[in-house]
Amino acid sequence: MISVLLFGACIKDFTDTADKLFSVDGIQWNPTIAAPLVSSRLSLEDVLGRVDSDQFLRIDEDGGLTIVYQDDYRSSDAEDVLALDDQDYEETLTLTTDQLTTLDNTGEVKFTVNRVLDYNLLMGELDYLWFKDGVISIDLNTTLAHDVALNVVIKEGRRSGGVFSPSVNAVWTSSPNTASTSEDLSNVQIEFTKTAQGHSQMEVDLEFTITKNNANPVNASETVTYAIELLNQKFFRAEGLFIDLNFSAEVADTFDIPFFNNSDGGSFTIDDPRIKFVLENSIGIPVNAQIPEFSGISNTGNVVNLTGLPDPLPVLLLDESEIGTVKIDSFELNKSTSNLVDFINNQPNRIGYAVKVTAGGTGARHALLSNSRVKAKISVEIPAKGTARDYALEIVQPFDLTLENADQVQEVLLRLYSENRFPIDVQTQVYFEDSSTNTVLDSLFGPDQLILPAAAVDATGRVVSANPKTIDANMNAESVERLKRANQLRLRAKFNTPFDASTQPSVKFYSDYDVLLQLGVQAEVLIKQEF
């Protein structure tokens, strides 16, 4: 793996340096001296530590390495789950004879109508509501050719300590006489428990003031129609009895395991993988959470479903005094409690999962905040201990080798010196290809070669000394010509942990393991004679 990654990083350096070497006229390069291209010491921490924020390499207390991939699940928020449907109320009132007489004789009449308005909540019963957003809309339509004012007093509604009482005023200019108004509901609080029903109702006083326009008559039959609507409501906090709330995300979640992205053949086993789930709950209602699907998909399309997940998940519930806080619980799956070894050894480069979260019950009243939700942090932990047998990785990248004075090139030599401090053997090959036909034009070495033999280890399997090796690869003029036609590189590496007789013991990797790689080039060109 490390040699492949290094080649991927240094091949451009090689081509850039080769371009410079071959573009010089009148110089005979000494073929015994190698111009250095790359000298680098890489550890597994260097390679695997270059990841995103949700992926990291952990150094354990004994110096062992664990690759960790994380994903965050978040259910829907309560404000998106608890539907506050638009509420509308409409009524036509016919003025009494006494009211019309008073208006005609005194020029003004006032009267109050008391109403109990139902709040229809499909998902239960409502006791209290603290509004974050929304509007109350009030419309007036009257046959009276006089001024009509309406003050709507929501008796258990409060804003800034005072009673919430929006109003509308229809000043007559022509018939029909109409007026409309709307008012923001943010920071309004309404209690719905003061009626005989005890929930989901609000008592309002409709205070009418009618002022006579002396130029117009007062007819024997006059009506006033009002319409009240609560629209686009959002809440900070809701209290009541809530049932059948579905917090589940609409689509399944996925996250990548880049460690297995480029696997291509062979087998790779991990001794003791683990998956940890940390569950956070801020929903003030009894919650039931499940993971109906958790599958690992390899880059060949093979799927293994994870077993051993608890059903239901251990989500801690909040009591009344804990509303607004978060309660946390967790659990872990390992090789003893699930099929996790088979799941990871399927080499999944992608994990897909779904979380089902429902809340609600009967009988008990609860509080719900708008941002109440269930969250989960999923950590896939892959300790760097296991076996590899002909485990292959491939990386493909663009390649361009343009040489000046190409007719003067006789030979190019690549020299790779390595010191391997990993207890693992690596065979590698670099193919130069035509991407349009995927035709292999040449290769850096002949057959696959062992260029990084495993380091020596002690009785505990700890590396005690590096294993050095030098490899030369000659590229003659014909090979260079083929390289000029190549436009992509296919870097392929094959890994094997050492065998002990007929068995293949697991190998553990530590943070102090590394490899020294030094790549040099020497070129021999024809001398260009100048006369």
Side-chain angles (χ1 to χ4, degrees):
M1 179 192 310
I2 293 173
S3 63
V4 167
L5 292 170
L6 183 64
F7 271 126
C10 74
I11 196 69
K12 185 178 185 302
D13 295 333
F14 159 61
T15 57
D16 290 346
T17 304
D19 287 348
K20 295 175 183 178
L21 291 175
F22 292 132
S23 66
V24 179
D25 288 338
I27 297 176
Q28 173 75 53
W29 287 94
N30 184 340
T32 64
I33 299 175
L37 292 178
V38 173
S39 180
S40 180
R41 188 179 294 277
L42 291 176
S43 68
L44 195 62
E45 183 178 0
D46 292 327
V47 175
L48 296 178
R50 301 169 186 164
V51 292
D52 298 331
S53 58
D54 56 352
Q55 309 162 19
F56 60 92
L57 189 67
R58 187 180 69 211
I59 301 176
D60 299 322
E61 291 184 2
D62 64 351
L65 300 174
T66 298
I67 309 162
V68 181
Y69 296 96
Q70 293 185 333
D71 193 58
D72 291 321
Y73 168 82
R74 171 174 167 165
S75 74
S76 299
D77 287 359
E79 67 176 354
D80 299 318
V81 173
L82 181 62
L84 298 182
D85 294 328
D86 293 346
Q87 308 291 315
D88 59 271
Y89 317 96
E90 184 174 345
E91 183 182 9
T92 297
L93 303 173
T94 300
L95 273 67
T96 66
T97 301
D98 290 344
Q99 292 167 342
L100 294 172
T101 300
T102 300
L103 174 62
D104 197 22
N105 293 338
T106 67
E108 182 182 82
V109 63
K110 294 183 178 181
F111 60 93
T112 298
V113 177
N114 180 266
R115 291 290 183 264
V116 173
L117 305 181
D118 290 326
Y119 192 103
N120 296 312
L121 184 70
L122 297 180
M123 298 176 178
E125 301 171 357
L126 195 59
D127 294 341
Y128 295 88
L129 201 58
W130 286 257
F131 287 93
K132 179 167 66 174
D133 202 359
V135 295
I136 181 170
S137 172
I138 306 173
D139 295 330
L140 270 183
N141 189 324
T142 178
T143 61
L144 287 158
H146 307 279
D147 298 344
V148 180
L150 169 61
N151 189 36
V152 179
V153 180
I154 301 177
K155 300 179 71 171
E156 301 303 327
R158 298 289 183 272
R159 173 186 272 167
S160 302
V163 176
F164 182 57
S165 54
S167 59
V168 62
N169 190 14
V171 178
W172 183 86
T173 57
S174 63
S175 296
N177 189 7
T178 63
S180 297
T181 191
S182 63
E183 189 167 341
D184 184 14
L185 282 172
S186 61
N187 298 313
V188 171
Q189 306 169 24
I190 299 179
E191 181 177 356
F192 298 89
T193 66
K194 296 299 186 178
T195 65
Q197 179 174 281
H199 65 82
S200 307
Q201 289 181 332
M202 57 181 175
E203 189 175 1
V204 299
D205 284 339
L206 306 171
E207 298 177 343
F208 290 93
T209 299
I210 303 173
T211 304
K212 182 181 179 182
N213 187 315
N214 290 326
N216 298 322
V218 176
N219 298 317
S221 178
E222 302 280 13
T223 62
V224 177
T225 299
Y226 71 87
I228 301 172
E229 292 182 295
L230 303 181
L231 306 171
N232 305 320
Q233 305 160 81
K234 294 288 186 180
F235 67 92
F236 283 116
R237 179 183 175 112
E239 295 182 13
L241 173 64
F242 305 111
I243 58 175
D244 297 331
L245 300 184
N246 185 2
F247 285 80
S248 306
E250 292 185 1
V251 296
D253 285 73
T254 62
F255 65 99
D256 295 333
I257 305 293
F259 183 75
F260 297 116
N261 268 350
N262 297 311
S263 60
D264 180 33
S267 63
F268 191 93
T269 65
I270 298 293
D271 273 13
D272 189 22
R274 295 177 292 276
I275 297 184
K276 294 183 178 180
F277 296 79
V278 178
L279 305 170
E280 300 181 5
N281 178 35
S282 58
I283 301 174
I285 309 173
V287 171
N288 182 281
Q290 301 167 301
I291 300 180
E293 175 191 353
F294 200 99
S295 56
I297 304 98
S298 72
N299 63 3
T300 62
N302 192 50
V303 178
V304 173
N305 295 311
L306 184 64
T307 64
L309 290 162
D311 185 11
L313 300 177
V315 176
L316 295 178
L317 304 182
L318 280 68
D319 60 33
E320 180 66 24
S321 64
E322 296 172 319
I323 301 300
T325 66
V326 176
K327 298 188 78 169
I328 301 175
D329 202 354
S330 63
F331 67 94
E332 177 183 299
L333 296 182
N334 54 47
K335 62 183 179 182
S336 300
T337 59
S338 70
N339 66 335
L340 191 52
V341 170
D342 292 337
F343 181 88
I344 293 295
N345 290 338
N346 180 48
Q347 303 168 28
N349 67 335
R350 180 167 55 92
I351 289 177
Y353 67 95
V355 181
K356 182 179 180 181
V357 180
T358 57
T362 58
R365 324 296 283 190
H366 297 282
L368 194 62
L369 302 184
S370 61
N371 60 354
S372 297
R373 67 180 75 95
V374 168
K375 295 173 62 177
K377 182 175 288 294
I378 303 171
S379 300
V380 179
E381 300 187 358
I382 306 175
K385 181 182 180 183
T387 66
R389 178 174 297 185
D390 293 332
Y391 181 68
L393 293 179
E394 280 193 356
I395 298 174
V396 177
Q397 64 182 50
F399 171 75
D400 181 22
L401 181 62
T402 303
L403 301 177
E404 296 181 12
N405 303 318
D407 58 334
Q408 300 179 41
V409 175
Q410 287 187 333
E411 185 176 273
V412 172
L413 173 69
L414 291 179
R415 173 165 292 171
L416 179 66
Y417 173 75
S418 65
E419 291 181 0
N420 184 15
R421 290 180 174 81
F422 285 93
I424 186 170
D425 298 332
V426 181
Q427 290 175 287
T428 192
Q429 182 59 279
V430 181
Y431 298 101
F432 303 89
E433 298 180 339
D434 177 359
S435 64
S436 61
T437 61
N438 288 325
T439 302
V440 176
L441 302 175
D442 210 332
S443 59
L444 185 61
F445 308 114
D448 286 356
Q449 293 193 35
L450 176 67
I451 66 167
L452 295 176
V457 298
D458 60 19
T460 66
R462 260 290 205 166
V463 169
V464 293
S465 62
N467 201 337
K469 191 173 182 66
T470 300
I471 288 184
D472 290 340
N474 289 290
M475 312 295 285
N476 58 25
E478 293 180 358
S479 293
V480 173
E481 186 63 30
R482 287 191 292 270
L483 263 60
K484 288 167 57 181
R485 302 200 310 269
N487 59 11
Q488 79 175 17
L489 291 179
R490 185 177 300 275
L491 311 174
R492 183 176 177 85
K494 189 178 292 185
F495 307 97
N496 282 283
T497 50
F499 283 84
D500 181 7
S502 60
T503 64
Q504 191 177 22
S506 293
V507 172
K508 185 172 182 178
F509 294 87
Y510 294 87
S511 59
D512 58 348
Y513 289 179
D514 63 16
V515 61
L516 171 67
L517 292 173
Q518 293 179 331
L519 182 66
V521 61
Q522 63 182 24
E524 183 178 343
V525 301
L526 294 173
I527 295 176
K528 183 176 182 180
Q529 300 294 331
E530 300 287 351
F531 296 99

